[in-house]
Amino acid sequence: MAKPNTLIFVDLASDDPSAAGQFYADVFGWENDARPEGIYHRMVPGGHFTNPDGEASQIGNLHLGIFDVANARPHPLSEGVEPRVLSPSGRKARIWILISDDDTPERILEAAVKRGAVELWRNHYWAEFNGYNHAFRDPWGNEIILWGKAGPDPRIPADFTRE
């Protein structure tokens, strides 16, 4: 294979895609593109990936989908298939969100918790990937990790845990 297969999209499960779409629009400021309303919502951050020089590239930022667990689309059977419920416990895929330079993890966590999310942790530094991280579980059980770049000479605050 000369070219790699490319990740193009990640979907989150919800039993209320309209409410989940509004949650992510409110917390992150993303466009809530209902396609159609209540069935599947595409969350559009806008903007583009950044070139090494700091300028915007021609590559748009990735989108996030929210699908209805009662009938996950697309599927060859229009009535969908089992399971039709959220998975309430156990490990799941985690979604990593890079915190923009003009936002803060404190604001994001506060906005998420105000809308029904549960804060999982805050103020952790992961040396292996040189970044600060914080996390919450959304009202549908999806785990969201907020990532902040630590830079070439990281200054880890005293109240941060480390690994």
Side-chain angles (χ1 to χ4, degrees):
M1 179 170 47
K3 293 184 179 180
N5 296 305
T6 304
L7 174 67
I8 59 168
F9 221 76
V10 174
D11 283 344
L12 297 179
S14 173
D15 56 5
D16 188 346
S18 296
Q22 190 61 53
F23 175 89
Y24 284 98
D26 291 345
V27 171
F28 291 110
W30 296 341
E31 177 189 346
N32 180 7
D33 182 21
R35 304 193 54 170
E37 177 69 39
I39 304 298
Y40 189 88
H41 288 242
R42 180 177 69 157
M43 304 311 299
V44 184
H48 293 80
F49 282 101
T50 306
N51 286 320
D53 65 2
E55 295 296 317
S57 73
Q58 294 180 339
I59 302 167
N61 285 322
L62 298 177
H63 298 173
L64 178 74
I66 300 172
F67 71 93
D68 185 355
V69 295
N71 190 349
R73 310 304 313 150
H75 192 279
L77 300 175
S78 61
E79 68 276 9
V81 295
E82 296 295 333
R84 298 178 191 274
V85 296
L86 294 170
S87 177
S89 63
R91 290 285 181 200
K92 303 177 189 181
R94 301 184 303 173
I95 308 303
W96 296 66
I97 307 293
L98 180 62
I99 302 163
S100 71
D101 292 338
D102 64 350
D103 206 348
T104 67
E106 294 81 13
R107 189 214 56 84
I108 295 169
L109 288 169
E110 181 181 320
V113 168
K114 179 179 177 182
R115 290 163 176 82
V118 174
E119 182 178 311
L120 299 175
W121 73 82
R122 66 171 61 212
N123 300 343
H124 180 69
Y125 173 72
W126 193 8
E128 183 67 28
F129 291 97
N130 191 29
Y132 308 117
N133 56 94
H134 324 263
F136 66 86
R137 182 177 301 113
D138 76 11
W140 301 274
N142 300 298
E143 196 168 305
I144 309 301
I145 300 173
L146 306 173
W147 187 258
K149 297 177 187 175
D153 186 23
R155 295 175 191 213
I156 299 100
D159 65 331
F160 272 51
T161 55
R162 301 167 186 234
E163 129 179 37

